[in-house]
Amino acid sequence: MFVTTYETLICDVPRPHVARIVLNRERQMNAYSWRMTQELQAAIGHYRDDDDLRALVLAGAGTRAFCTGGDVSGSDAEHGRLVRGQPMGHGREMRDGMQAVLALLRRIDKPSVAMIQGYAVAGGLALALACDFRLAGPAARFGDTSGRFGLLPDEGGAWLFPHVMGYDRALKMTLLHEIYDAPTAERLGLVTELVGEDLEDHTLAFCEALAAKAPLAVRMVKTMMTRALESSFEASLGDAQLAVMITNPSADVREGGAAFREKRTPKFEGR
């Protein structure tokens, strides 16, 4: 079962085939701790491996923040033990912590949706950008505040920010510690869709629509487009040739054709 007890997360299945992970450190504005990074890897891995789950919602508890990056309060004792007196400790902690979370999110061949209320800044913005889609409420705020503490966009932001916004805008945001309101973030490409007050219902409906599509095709399309971002046109054509050998003979394609002829909604099973 995806519904599992974690110290820093709440996981459930709010709609058929839709998994939800909620960052549950509301008092800390959902800043991530070492424990949270380990639990996120476990929960995201569960979503990846469960074929009955077809779309993922990632959210933050409460309305003040999606995630405000790493916990800089000094209260994370586990983090302290990892890095104290270790010459490579900070690098290993980042590699096996939030960097591993973002890499896992980007590798999954099923869709992920960040539902953003309040602040998504620094590593929290990187976490949101590692998802395929970002749906934001009117009070959402986006930016990179890491430099205020002399820190870096080290979770993956140094790659994600310029890829999404463009080099000059990303550099300006990070060096000047800028925070944008939701309409500005949408204009800059940080937000997929700006939603009104019904953000949760809209996000779950969006995920239900994703989950209703043919799972094999969804997974192949995401894989193809992710690879195409970093490959040539010719290589992308080769990926498509391989992918159709999986999807075209599938039961889902036969079901799609039958549903079209019979003027009904297809029922895809991922076979």
Side-chain angles (χ1 to χ4, degrees):
M1 291 288 292
F2 184 71
V3 180
T4 306
T5 301
Y6 291 106
E7 182 179 311
T8 67
L9 307 175
I10 299 172
C11 298
D12 64 354
V13 182
R15 302 281 176 90
H17 308 297
V18 176
R20 178 167 56 186
I21 299 173
V22 179
L23 312 182
N24 191 32
R25 301 186 79 222
E26 185 176 358
R27 291 181 60 186
Q28 295 84 12
M29 297 186 73
N30 299 316
Y32 70 80
S33 61
W34 171 256
R35 175 65 57 87
M36 181 183 279
T37 67
Q38 302 310 291
E39 293 183 347
L40 276 170
Q41 290 175 65
I44 295 168
H46 191 153
Y47 166 65
R48 175 197 61 201
D49 296 337
D50 188 340
D51 288 338
D52 190 57
L53 300 174
R54 302 179 185 177
L56 171 67
V57 179
L58 188 62
T63 60
R64 291 194 305 156
F66 168 75
C67 176
T68 53
D71 188 342
V72 296
S73 68
S75 62
D76 188 355
E78 289 177 290
H79 172 270
R81 286 194 295 271
L82 283 166
V83 302
R84 190 179 297 115
Q86 303 295 323
M88 302 296 291
H90 288 284
R92 283 197 297 267
E93 180 264 341
M94 187 55 61
R95 179 196 66 195
D96 299 334
M98 190 49 83
Q99 284 185 354
V101 173
L102 267 63
L104 179 59
L105 264 177
R106 287 184 54 80
R107 282 198 301 266
I108 289 177
D109 60 356
K110 296 191 285 186
S112 57
V113 180
M115 187 186 83
I116 302 165
Q117 301 184 84
Y119 286 92
V121 295
L125 177 56
L127 179 61
L129 294 180
C131 295
D132 300 304
F133 306 98
R134 288 157 299 284
L135 275 55
R141 296 292 182 267
F142 301 81
D144 185 14
T145 55
S146 57
R148 291 182 181 176
F149 305 94
L151 299 171
L152 308 173
D154 45 16
E155 297 93 344
W159 189 92
L160 289 163
F161 299 163
H163 273 75
V164 173
M165 304 170 66
Y167 167 79
D168 55 340
R169 288 174 171 174
L171 191 63
K172 177 173 175 282
M173 176 183 71
T174 294
L175 294 184
L176 298 182
H177 322 150
E178 292 181 335
I179 295 179
Y180 310 121
D181 61 19
T184 303
E186 183 182 35
R187 177 174 58 80
L188 292 172
L190 296 172
V191 173
T192 307
E193 189 174 342
L194 187 56
V195 184
E197 299 300 328
D198 57 344
L199 177 60
E200 182 174 359
D201 287 342
H202 185 93
T203 302
L204 292 177
F206 182 84
C207 287
E208 273 193 301
L210 289 172
K213 306 306 178 186
L216 286 176
V218 169
R219 296 172 84 154
M220 290 295 100
V221 167
K222 178 175 176 183
T223 299
M224 289 165 60
M225 287 196 178
T226 300
R227 286 172 55 85
L229 289 172
E230 300 173 28
S231 63
S232 68
F233 177 65
E234 288 74 15
S236 181
L237 295 178
D239 286 344
Q241 294 161 22
L242 293 173
V244 298
M245 290 192 285
I246 297 172
T247 55
N248 285 16
S250 69
D252 277 352
V253 167
R254 293 193 296 274
E255 165 64 7
F260 175 78
R261 292 188 296 273
E262 297 165 13
K263 296 181 173 55
R264 59 175 174 82
T265 301
K267 296 181 180 179
F268 296 119
E269 298 181 4
R271 297 185 293 112

